[in-house]
Amino acid sequence: MAHFIKGELTALGAEIELRELGKQEGTNVDLPPIVLGRYGNDPKKRNILVYGHYDVQPALVEDGWDTEPFQLVEKDGKLVGRGSTDDKGPVMGWINSIQAHQKAGIEFPVNLVMCFEGMEEYGSDGLDDLIRAEKDKFFKGVDATCICDNYWLGTSHPVLTYGIRGCSYYSVTVSGPSADLHSGIFGGMVSEPLIDLTHILSKLVSPQGKILIPGIMDMVVPLTPEEEKLYDDIKYSMDDLYAATGSKTNLFDTEKESLMARWRYPTLSLHGVEGAFSAPGAKTVIPAKVSGKFSIRTVPNITPRELDECVSKYVNTVWKELGSKNKMEIKLMHDGMWWLSSPDHWNFEAAKKATKAVWKVDPDFTREGGSIPVTLTFEEELKKNVLLLPMGRGDDGAHSINEKLDLINYINGVKTLSAYLHYAAVQPMAGA
Ligand code: BES
Ligand code: ZN
């Protein structure tokens, strides 16, 4: 993907460098390179930094896809395939914007500074360090940042996003016997790692979504009446949630409570168990070593470090109480900070005008529940405003099967990104 992007952009006349990052920590695997690019070098123009990621979540036809996930197909007005909306489609959008300007013979309005990475879905390994090292070099002179890696809330109304949650991802490993065992022979004679693990996992969160680890909720900033009021005007209905999840399995009955749970409160999700029997059939095995994976979405003012203290202390206490002779290890696999800004800035104003010009409506200003780890790093290191300008819709199925991007969102998305650059080029520089 990095080489593909380099090829496309080089052909369009951009200067591209692939920055190697060495090996992934604890492995012998090369990290995917970061694509650093610049299109235009006119000192009279503003420098707009755009960020996206070319890595995607895993996908197998067996997961339930109707089509081959890594073969892009056009179906019923939708582009279907892994990465269509998260985030290869939007990355293509920036490339298409340059192409469109060239084909239409329109001068590009800004110097486009580009940063496309390949480890976003694993916590953006290596990118924080690169941003810190390059803030006065490659990123020097950036006036504002635009990230296109989020979605509308629902399916019909555009949004601009000024906040996202952080994510701390954990593995908890329980091991005992030196190899998998026959459950008929050893069941009842030895402590089973998977039984111990499910005990721990069941103590992390209640089925109603309440986090059971002490100390985490105490770090959450209290809700003010002014903040609560913001939720009243958001165009989102329970039907959007039913449609996007294909179910009526909501934990809360109202839009406001649901959105608050997604935007401003921490949540804990269980993702899977590595090493456990998971194939079809009925294997009578006692797995020797199992790792449960869970993540916690973080919000203001939870810091990953304090969170980690709460998590390891609690899991170790639960483990001690269990009194098992197996071994347990709790490990933080990666973390990324939450980000909360304000849409009161010329960068957002430019995006608002662009959205209105293309979609003919004013966008809603929203926060989001997902995470883009480098958002805060860009803001803190470059000291310039960051804006999240989405291309896709809330029902695109990011990380799920049959991920799609509606063609109209792609086409209008490229128009919106382009219009944004034109407005950002001339918008009076007001705002924090
Ligand atoms: N595009 C998402 C981020 C996102 C999700 C924005 C939902 C708005 C709404 C991004 O590609 C993503 O999935 N990020 C990971 C990061 C994590 C591994 C640190 C995520 O949120 O799980
Ligand atoms: Zn993603």
Side-chain angles (χ1 to χ4, degrees), residues 53 57 85-87 120-124 149-151 161 164-169 262 297 334-336 368-373 388 398-399:
H53 63 94
Q57 288 282 320
T85 194
D86 182 15
D87 184 38
E120 194 273 348
E121 300 288 7
Y122 195 84
S124 298
D149 183 25
N150 60 310
Y151 325 98
T161 302
I164 46 175
R165 294 193 292 181
C167 182
S168 292
Y169 201 110
R262 170 158 154 186
R297 297 286 167 173
H334 60 75
D335 59 19
E368 254 306 348
S371 313
I372 306 169
L388 261 60
H399 296 203

Side-chain angles (χ1 to χ4, degrees), residues 333-351:
M333 295 176 73
H334 60 75
D335 59 19
M337 265 297 272
W338 47 265
W339 164 77
L340 183 60
S341 172
S342 149
D344 183 17
H345 192 276
W346 64 265
N347 197 26
F348 276 81
E349 206 46 50

Side-chain angles (χ1 to χ4, degrees), residues 132-429:
R132 278 186 204 112
E134 291 293 330
K135 68 176 172 188
D136 295 321
K137 298 181 208 155
F138 176 75
F139 295 110
K140 193 174 159 67
V142 162
D143 293 298
T145 299
C146 178
I147 296 179
C148 184
D149 183 25
N150 60 310
Y151 325 98
W152 296 352
L153 258 191
T155 53
S156 56
H157 199 86
V159 307
L160 301 178
T161 302
Y162 63 93
I164 46 175
R165 294 193 292 181
C167 182
S168 292
Y169 201 110
Y170 287 91
S171 74
V172 48
T173 303
V174 181
S175 56
S178 60
D180 290 0
L181 301 173
H182 190 301
S183 64
I185 303 174
F186 299 103
M189 293 175 79
V190 297
S191 257
E192 299 192 17
L194 189 51
I195 295 178
D196 289 355
L197 178 65
T198 49
H199 176 80
I200 296 175
L201 296 180
S202 75
K203 297 272 186 252
L204 299 176
V205 61
S206 82
Q208 290 73 38
K210 184 174 174 326
I211 297 179
L212 303 175
I213 305 169
I216 297 180
M217 287 311 277
D218 304 336
M219 290 188 263
V220 177
V221 295
L223 180 69
T224 60
E226 298 82 66
E227 187 197 329
E228 192 172 352
K229 268 225 310 281
L230 294 176
Y231 289 83
D232 293 336
D233 299 329
I234 304 292
K235 287 166 211 68
Y236 187 71
S237 81
M238 294 309 283
D239 288 330
D240 288 320
L241 177 60
Y242 303 151
T245 62
S247 71
K248 287 195 174 176
T249 50
N250 45 306
L251 285 169
F252 300 99
D253 291 331
T254 64
E255 286 82 6
K256 196 188 238 184
E257 288 168 293
S258 303
L259 286 181
M260 281 191 191
R262 170 158 154 186
W263 294 357
R264 68 142 6 257
Y265 288 115
T267 50
L268 190 154
S269 297
L270 303 182
H271 303 297
V273 178
E274 186 180 329
F277 167 59
S278 65
K283 186 179 179 188
T284 49
V285 69
I286 298 173
K289 181 178 177 186
V290 282
S291 298
K293 310 287 176 72
F294 69 94
S295 72
I296 299 173
R297 297 286 167 173
T298 56
V299 296
N301 284 326
I302 298 173
T303 64
R305 198 182 49 77
E306 286 170 300
L307 177 80
D308 199 33
E309 279 167 19
C310 294
V311 173
S312 20
K313 188 168 161 215
Y314 177 74
V315 172
N316 279 303
T317 307
V318 170
W319 181 251
K320 266 213 195 85
E321 283 168 8
L322 188 60
S324 168
K325 289 182 181 161
N326 285 323
K327 279 201 202 63
M328 188 281 296
E329 190 191 10
I330 171 89
K331 222 170 106 188
L332 175 66
M333 295 176 73
H334 60 75
D335 59 19
M337 265 297 272
W338 47 265
W339 164 77
L340 183 60
S341 172
S342 149
D344 183 17
H345 192 276
W346 64 265
N347 197 26
F348 276 81
E349 206 46 50
K352 184 177 165 184
K353 287 182 178 167
T355 304
K356 178 90 191 233
V358 175
W359 293 101
K360 315 292 176 214
V361 287
D362 282 324
D364 274 348
F365 290 99
T366 56
R367 289 166 68 172
E368 254 306 348
S371 313
I372 306 169
V374 293
T375 313
L376 183 72
T377 317
F378 277 131
E379 188 179 274
E380 284 188 345
E381 296 299 326
L382 307 186
K383 307 216 168 2
K384 290 290 145 93
N385 183 267
V386 180
L387 147 83
L388 261 60
L389 172 57
M391 180 177 270
R393 304 183 185 185
D395 68 345
D396 282 352
H399 296 203
S400 183
I401 56 167
N402 303 324
E403 177 181 346
K404 59 89 177 166
L405 175 65
D406 293 80
L407 254 180
I408 188 70
N409 279 62
Y410 184 43
I411 305 291
N412 278 358
V414 175
K415 291 183 188 175
T416 307
L417 299 182
S418 304
Y420 156 72
L421 296 175
H422 280 268
Y423 286 116
V426 296
Q427 187 68 30
M429 279 191 172

Side-chain angles (χ1 to χ4, degrees), residues 35-41 46-51 94 108 110-116 137-146 382 421:
V35 182
L36 294 177
R38 179 172 261 278
Y39 182 65
N41 227 332
R46 285 191 185 157
N47 299 296
I48 301 294
L49 168 66
V50 300
Y51 159 90
W94 293 115
F108 210 70
V110 300
N111 300 317
L112 197 67
V113 181
M114 291 165 276
C115 176
F116 300 129
K137 298 181 208 155
F138 176 75
F139 295 110
K140 193 174 159 67
V142 162
D143 293 298
T145 299
C146 178
L382 307 186
L421 296 175

